[in-house]
Every structure is written in structure tokens, then in C-alpha cells.
Amino acid sequence: MTASVAVYRNIYTEDRFKQTYGTEDRAPGSLLLWKRLAQKCRCSRRAFLHLLSERVPIFNWLPRYRLRKWLLGDTIAGLTVGILHIPQGMAFALLTSVAPIFGLYTSFFPVILYMLFGTGRHVSTGTFAVVSLMTGSVVEQLVPAPLQFNASSLEAAAMEAQRIGVASAVALLSGIMMLCMFVLQLGFLSTYLSEPIVKAFTSAAAFHVTMSQLQSMLGLRLARHTGNFALFKTLASVMENLPQTNMAELLISLVCLAILVLVKEINTRYRKRLRTPIPVEILTVIIATGVAYALSLDSTCDVQIVGHIPAGFPSPQMPAIHTFPDIAGDTVAITFVGYAVSVSLAMIYADKHAYSIHPNQELLAHGISNTVSSLFTCFPSSATLATTNILESSGGFTQLSGLFTSLVVLVVLLLIGPLFYFLPKAVLACINVTSLRQMFLQFQDLPGLWRVSRIDFMVWVVTWLSVVVLNVDLGLAIGVVFSMMTVICRTQRAGCSVLGQASNTEIYRPMQNHSKCSEVAGVKILTYNGPIYYGNRSFFKEEVSRLLGLTPERIRSLEKRRKALEKRQRDTTVSTVERGVANASFSSDNELLKSAEKEVQAVLMDCSSVIFVDVAGARLFIQMCIDCQKVGVCIYLANCNESVLKILTSSGLMNYMNPQHIFVTVHDAVVYIQHLKEKPLDTTTVWV
């Protein structure tokens, strides 16, 4: 069964449509801005409570907390994630080139602060492998560790203090940057790290993490390489020193890897049957510590152990702010990566559970977390992939799960921490490597990405190769630049095509894809699928000239012919002048512009896909009008959005074309042109 639609209405130019259906003129922009500022600055109890609930979201969700429905799930999920935070915090501290205790601090303070200020209900914050790796590179550059460090305990403590001072300074500067971005409402900047970039970056960074942990897994004492080609330098150094491998630490690593991989695979396959995942990391840490203590592996087999872990809270201290000039560039990359990953994770689970997060509020939450935590010897934190996934799969409902997570870490900090003295560092290295499973599996996205978008596939590959071959910071920058270049190239080479009309309808489609559509006699309808700006104005001009056949030589030739014809017809034909523009283009004697078998009397530009125009694009429109007038062809516009129309008008286009030649739809313009050839119109109707 088919249905038909008939519409009977007046022809609408933009001016006429605005007069009929437009809103009244708005107040000047400065006045509107003043009113908005006045409303924002009003001080009342209601406004204060609204601002408080927006900026400290716990005051919004906690009063509406469903105790019986949500408390059990938040408790179980929080405790599960807290148990996982202990080994991962200590492991990721090694990536940051600081003592394991600082990883526990970073697993405590940011969790509490995000619970107060964050909007992601299923986001678990703390130590993240990629951010820790990037921070560790900065620490190694400023405070490199000597290969043979036979110093006293005081000298070792001084070096450790310098290292955590630099790492805390990175966290402080990162937090300050996020707070500045919040003040400027720059949460949208995370969109420049597209999904292919983030996935390729984290996948490539996983290789850097794995390579950096090889020396600990093999028991080698090697310098940590930074800068370009760091991955290959590390691999070459490991291969060169392979004969010096500590067999005891190699055996520990092999056993731990086998256990961790096997149990994690069980957790993944039987995720729906298990109420909570098996806490294999903490079990491995406990067993390995017990075995190392019982066999005295540190003295008998020269196994590297964690050493002393102080109990209690750290005293507040100022980070090494004098290093700000040296760490500023690296901190920008760390800030963007941490924020982009955090917001991406928050959005994924917000969409899954049908609630919304606020990117700018996330800036405030992570900014405060990093700024305050840095005063307690913490390194940069962000949302983490593994713990966030476990938090959601364990049945967490709200940010309150962070309270139970921090309680678990608090117990370790106050009571249990010193018991991990004999924990082998090889075990923490194995935990680091196995925690990257999700990042390595992102290669599975490539076939689907190739089918959907070859350009996004190339962005993924270029970003991955840049990060692996060069380094994490430079590779990320190359990925972002390459991604933006693809967007620019796509706007520069947007297609310009001729539209044809489907018979007896108001539907117009590109001729190259719809062979049964036909051109309107005497009218060339063009559409351009992109913005018109300084970057693509030359391409747009070439395409329009090609489709109209208006080369500079042809324009001069047709202009001479038109002037000669006007001279012959001067005594018999009176041209109608509209605002100084000769409108003799529809005379029956017009034989000035011919394309193949049809003469073009009017050019109609469909601007429905032109999202914006800059000054260069507006000048190009004016030049088009001048060129068409030289050969006696009128220019018409249709489907212009308000911003495009405003720029064209402000640029003086109306001095070269009739304002009544701008229509609401393509069909309005076509019917107007067709009737204009028959008789002058004051008011016309369209039958569709």
C-alpha cells in the first residue's frame, strides 16, 4: 500500500518566512549577557543549595540513597575493588619509579575525593598503568637512579623523597590544569581524543608497560630508558643482559603469570556465575610474601623485595614545585590522557545504566583529587579500566562504593602494610603485565573498524605505531594531529554535485547516484556537502566552475557576446533593473550560456549541508555572483541556516544579489524560477 502527500502553500523566501513565523528581535547580545550574569550572581538560599548540589554531587544523590536496595551491592563491590587496589597500587608505584607505599596512598585519597565530587556512579579511581608509566618517565628524566646504588639509608631516603616530590609535583600541576579547564568550561576538549586514538594509545602503552617490567620479572638491574625509541632500547638492553637473569625471580614470574592468567580467564568466562571475581592478585601477593619470608629468598637467592612499608598516614608536604618548568610539557599530556580515559569510562557506564555525567564537573572532581592528593605524596590518578569494570560487574550502584574501597586500603595502611616487607618485586611486575589484558585485546576492534571506517582505522594504526616506535607523549601528539588532519582533509574535499528532481515531487537528489532524477530545465542546482572556508575555498571554486563550465576564458567570451546582444536589442528590449543588477536572464533571446543541449538561466545553490561559512567563503559567494552576472545568469540560494545567512549578509552579498532570491527550500526556489519565466509573480502557491 502506498500513500501520497499533497501540500498547498505559498512560496516562502527567507524574509517572508521570517516575517510569518520568526520570533521577535532579541535584545542585544551584551544585554542578554548582562541579564545572565545578573541571574548567576543572585544570592539566595535556593541558589546556594542548587550550586552546592551541582558542585558537590554527594549532597544530591546521598539524600535519595535507597538503603535497602543499593547498600549490599555497593558494599560488596567496594570491598572487592579495595582488595584489588592493594596489589595494583603497589605494582603501579613501580611504574611510577617510587616506593610501593605511595601507590597505596594514591589508592586511598583520590577515591574519597571522587566520591564527594564525581558524577560517575560506576567509576573507580586510583592508579592507572598508562598514567603511571608516563609519570615514571618524567621522574626518571629528572631523578635518574644509578645502576649501582650502594648508598646509605639516608642517601636512599633522600633520593626517594626527590622522586616522590617530582611525582607529586606532576599530580599537583595536573590538578591545577584541570581546575583551570573547569573554570573555563573546557570539558569538551576531551572530544579531541577520539575513541580510536584512546584505544590505540592505551594498547600501544601496554607494550611500553610490559617492556618496562621485563627487568623486574627477570631480576635484572638495568637503567630505565626514556625518550624516543625507548621500547626498543629497553628490549635491546634486556637481551644484552639476558645471561645475568636471576633464575629464582624468573621462576617466581613464570609461576605468578600462569596463576594470574588462568584465574583471570576463569573470572572472565564465568563472570555471570561468580558473585564476585576471585581476588587472585591479593592472594598471589599474600602467598608470595609468605614463601619469600619462609625461604629467605632475599638473602639466599638475591631476590628483590619491596622492603619496609611504613604504617599510618603520610604527613602533608609540599611537592617539588620548582620542577614545574621542567614537567609542564609532559604534564599536559598526562592531564589529557587521564581526563579522556576517565570521562570515556564514565560515559560508557552512564549510557549502559541510563544516567548522565557532566564532563565539566568531572574536571572539577579529578582536579580536586589530584591537587589535594599531591599534598599527601600521591602521584597522578585517574579512572582505571580494570577496577571500574569489576566495580560495575560486582553490583555497585553509586559512588558510595568508594567509601568501602577506601576502608580496605585504610586498614592496609594502618595495620597490614608492614607485613608486605618480603613481597618480591617480580610479583608486582607480573600483576602489572596481567592487568593490561583488556588493552591488548583492543586489537580485536580492528576488523570491525576497517569495515566501518577506513579513515578511523588509519587513525588507530598511525597512533599505535607512533606510540610504540617513538614514545608515549610524542605518539599521542602525532595521533591527535593526524586525526585532526583527516577531519580537515574531509572538509577540504567535500563533494559538490548537481541535483536532479524526482518526477512530480519536491525531492531533489544528486544525479550521479540517482539516474532516474532529471535536471530542471534552465536551472543548475548545486549542493556542497561541507563548510565553505579558507581551507577549501579553492576546491569549492574549482568544482563549481567545472560543473557550470565557467572558466575565466569562457566568462570573458560570454560577457562579450552578452554585451553585443544587448546592444542589438537596446531599441527593442528594455531590461528590468533590480538594485543595479540586470535581470534579462530569462528573455527568450537568451542564448548566452549553453551546456551541452540545455541553456542555464539560473544557478540555485542548496546550502542545507553548508554548516558554516567564513569571510573567505562569503567573498567567494560574492565572486560567484559577479561572474554569473557577467554572463547573464542569476544566483539563488536555498536552505541556508541562520549563521550562514548572517555571515553572507554581513559580508555584503545582498549588494550583488536580490534578497528575494533566498528561499526556504529548493522546491520553493525552483517553482519561483519556473513561474518567473512565464510571468512576474507577487504571490505564488506551490502544489506538491
Side-chain angles (χ1 to χ4, degrees), residues 93-310:
L94 295 184
L95 281 179
T96 317
S97 297
V98 295
I101 185 62
F102 301 114
L104 294 179
Y105 296 154
T106 310
S107 299
F108 176 75
F109 291 102
V111 175
I112 291 290
L113 293 167
Y114 186 83
M115 182 187 70
L116 299 176
F117 297 98
T119 59
R121 301 177 190 175
H122 300 87
V123 172
S124 173
T125 58
T127 56
F128 181 44
V130 177
V131 173
S132 297
L133 176 69
M134 297 173 72
T135 306
S137 298
V138 179
V139 173
E140 289 291 341
Q141 290 174 12
L142 297 183
V143 192
L147 289 179
Q148 301 298 329
F149 190 67
N150 299 319
S152 64
S153 58
L154 291 177
E155 292 175 333
M159 172 167 282
E160 192 59 54
Q162 290 179 9
R163 290 192 156 209
I164 191 57
V166 172
S168 299
V170 174
L172 177 60
L173 186 56
S174 177
I176 293 173
M177 287 180 180
M178 289 187 183
L179 292 177
C180 293
M181 291 168 66
F182 165 74
V183 172
L184 299 174
Q185 298 291 284
L186 297 180
F188 68 90
L189 289 179
S190 64
T191 57
Y192 288 102
L193 294 178
S194 63
E195 183 177 342
I197 291 178
V198 172
K199 288 189 173 182
F201 171 77
T202 53
S203 178
F207 282 86
H208 282 273
V209 173
T210 302
M211 285 298 157
S212 69
Q213 297 305 291
L214 279 180
Q215 56 176 315
S216 296
M217 295 168 66
L218 298 175
L220 301 175
R221 277 72 168 174
L222 303 176
R224 183 168 173 175
H225 295 280
T226 59
N228 295 335
F229 311 106
L231 187 145
F232 301 102
K233 292 177 182 177
T234 301
L235 183 59
S237 180
V238 169
M239 296 300 294
E240 182 181 351
N241 293 273
L242 204 57
Q244 303 175 16
T245 299
N246 187 313
M247 299 309 295
E249 292 191 85
L250 176 60
L251 181 62
I252 291 173
S253 300
L254 292 176
V255 173
C256 289
L257 285 175
I259 295 174
L260 290 168
V261 171
L262 177 62
V263 178
K264 281 178 177 288
E265 188 65 25
I266 294 174
N267 285 339
T268 302
R269 291 194 177 186
Y270 301 98
R271 178 168 33 187
K272 295 182 179 179
R273 298 184 184 180
L274 296 173
R275 182 66 181 88
T276 59
I278 301 173
V280 62
E281 287 91 350
I282 190 64
L283 293 177
T284 303
V285 166
I286 293 173
I287 294 173
T289 303
V291 171
Y293 171 73
L295 300 179
S296 300
L297 294 179
D298 59 321
S299 57
T300 59
C301 299
D302 195 26
V303 172
Q304 297 182 73
I305 60 174
V306 167
H308 176 62
I309 297 179

Side-chain angles (χ1 to χ4, degrees), residues 607-619:
C607 299
S608 57
S609 299
V610 180
I611 56 176
F612 72 87
V613 174
D614 68 354
V615 175
R619 289 175 180 170

Side-chain angles (χ1 to χ4, degrees), residues 237-476:
S237 180
V238 169
M239 296 300 294
E240 182 181 351
N241 293 273
L242 204 57
Q244 303 175 16
T245 299
N246 187 313
M247 299 309 295
E249 292 191 85
L250 176 60
L251 181 62
I252 291 173
S253 300
L254 292 176
V255 173
C256 289
L257 285 175
I259 295 174
L260 290 168
V261 171
L262 177 62
V263 178
K264 281 178 177 288
E265 188 65 25
I266 294 174
N267 285 339
T268 302
R269 291 194 177 186
Y270 301 98
R271 178 168 33 187
K272 295 182 179 179
R273 298 184 184 180
L274 296 173
R275 182 66 181 88
T276 59
I278 301 173
V280 62
E281 287 91 350
I282 190 64
L283 293 177
T284 303
V285 166
I286 293 173
I287 294 173
T289 303
V291 171
Y293 171 73
L295 300 179
S296 300
L297 294 179
D298 59 321
S299 57
T300 59
C301 299
D302 195 26
V303 172
Q304 297 182 73
I305 60 174
V306 167
H308 176 62
I309 297 179
F313 276 110
S315 56
Q317 63 183 52
M318 200 66 184
I321 58 176
H322 65 276
T323 61
F324 276 6
D326 299 320
I327 65 176
D330 295 300
T331 304
V332 171
I334 294 171
T335 301
F336 272 92
V337 170
Y339 175 64
V341 170
S342 301
V343 171
S344 298
L345 280 174
M347 286 183 172
I348 288 171
Y349 290 103
D351 292 340
K352 183 177 180 179
H353 294 276
Y355 65 89
S356 60
I357 65 125
H358 305 288
N360 285 308
Q361 180 62 27
E362 290 295 294
L363 274 175
L364 177 64
H366 290 287
I368 292 177
S369 295
N370 280 291
T371 302
V372 176
S373 300
S374 68
L375 303 177
F376 294 92
T377 60
C378 294
F379 50 86
S381 63
S382 70
T384 63
L385 296 175
T387 55
T388 297
N389 184 38
I390 291 174
L391 179 66
E392 190 266 344
S393 61
S394 301
F397 288 100
T398 68
Q399 296 94 316
L400 190 65
S401 59
L403 175 63
F404 301 102
T405 297
S406 58
L407 287 177
V408 174
V409 180
L410 179 63
V411 171
V412 174
L413 284 173
L414 296 179
L415 303 174
I416 305 177
L419 299 180
F420 293 121
Y421 180 92
F422 289 97
L423 173 63
K425 290 185 177 181
V427 176
L428 296 180
C430 293
I431 292 174
N432 274 334
V433 173
T434 55
S435 68
L436 306 172
R437 178 177 180 272
Q438 286 179 297
M439 300 183 192
F440 285 120
L441 291 179
Q442 290 177 142
F443 278 100
Q444 297 175 350
D445 298 337
L446 285 178
L449 201 59
W450 174 263
R451 290 191 297 269
V452 174
S453 173
R454 306 286 173 87
I455 293 179
D456 285 339
F457 177 87
M458 289 302 300
V459 170
W460 200 104
V461 172
V462 169
T463 303
W464 189 89
L465 289 175
S466 301
V467 174
V468 168
V469 173
L470 299 176
N471 62 38
V472 177
D473 302 341
L474 184 58
L476 176 63

